[in-house]
Amino acid sequence: MSDHHIKRLVIMRHAKADWPGGVADHERPLEERGHREAPLAGKWLLKHGILPDFILCSSALRTRQTCTWVCSELGDKAPTPKLEDGLYAASALRMLTVVNHVPDTVTTLMLISHMPGVQDLAMHLASRDSNHDAYMDAATRYPTSALTVLETEKSWAELDGQDARITKFKVPRAH
């Protein structure tokens, strides 16, 4: 390993959302299952010692609600999330541009957004030395509440493609 510090990127798809009639897509709320499963993501992060010091969250209601649940589980360890309009319905490359502007003082960045951008971004950044099972899981399915954890030695501004290792992929589910 070089003398650079390892940076971690946690990419999360929002929890299960509802489709109420007459509501704009941006304002869709979480459904009951989403409210049960979003806190499990926060519990999983805590259990694995993956504590974001910065959270970027799409401005859509369902991502904001997901973020609120995750932060409530992280408690006083939770950073104040930054709502980012540019993450709503964003492509992987648009998301990457947002990540590229994160200050290097951030060591663990969490991004909460939407399909297909979250999966595309994880696959775009995944290097050849990624954990095989985690890589295959993230590549083949990316259900609601899914989390991909990537590690890199590069600065956020240098992240480009195939330069972060997927170390974990988790789908928190309420039983």
Side-chain angles (χ1 to χ4, degrees):
M1 288 286 173
S2 71
D3 48 357
H4 288 301
H5 292 292
I6 300 274
K7 292 191 180 313
R8 277 194 295 209
L9 174 61
V10 181
I11 302 172
M12 181 178 184
R13 181 180 177 191
H14 63 77
K16 184 77 176 147
D18 204 353
W19 281 99
V23 172
D25 182 70
H26 191 272
E27 299 309 313
R28 286 176 45 216
L30 292 183
E31 68 166 33
E32 214 170 296
R33 190 178 104 200
H35 285 292
R36 284 196 314 271
E37 290 176 353
L40 299 177
K43 283 188 168 90
W44 184 85
L45 290 169
L46 266 181
K47 181 180 163 193
H48 289 86
I50 301 168
L51 301 172
D53 42 335
F54 195 61
I55 297 176
L56 288 168
C57 180
S58 157
S59 58
L61 179 59
R62 59 194 177 275
T63 46
R64 295 193 324 258
Q65 288 179 321
T66 300
C67 186
T68 298
W69 281 116
V70 168
C71 288
S72 72
E73 291 300 324
L74 296 177
D76 57 6
K77 295 179 175 77
T80 302
K82 180 176 187 286
L83 293 183
E84 184 64 61
D85 288 327
L87 291 176
Y88 174 67
S91 67
L93 293 178
R94 173 74 191 106
M95 289 182 189
L96 182 57
T97 301
V98 173
V99 170
N100 289 153
H101 286 89
V102 170
D104 266 332
T105 49
V106 174
T107 55
T108 300
L109 171 64
M110 183 169 193
L111 186 138
I112 303 173
S113 195
H114 311 267
M115 280 293 278
V118 286
Q119 184 179 36
D120 293 347
L121 178 61
M123 293 298 97
H124 178 75
L125 291 175
S127 62
R128 294 180 189 278
D129 58 345
S130 291
N131 173 294
H132 179 75
D133 292 342
Y135 178 94
M136 292 309 292
D137 283 347
T140 53
R141 60 192 188 97
Y142 214 105
T144 52
S145 298
L147 299 149
T148 304
V149 181
L150 300 105
E151 293 184 351
T152 184
E153 291 182 24
K154 291 196 168 186
S155 71
W156 300 118
E158 292 174 310
L159 270 187
D160 186 17
Q162 293 194 325
D163 44 15
R165 270 183 345 201
I166 294 179
T167 58
K168 293 177 172 59
F169 179 78
K170 175 66 178 168
V171 181
R173 286 291 178 246
H175 298 294

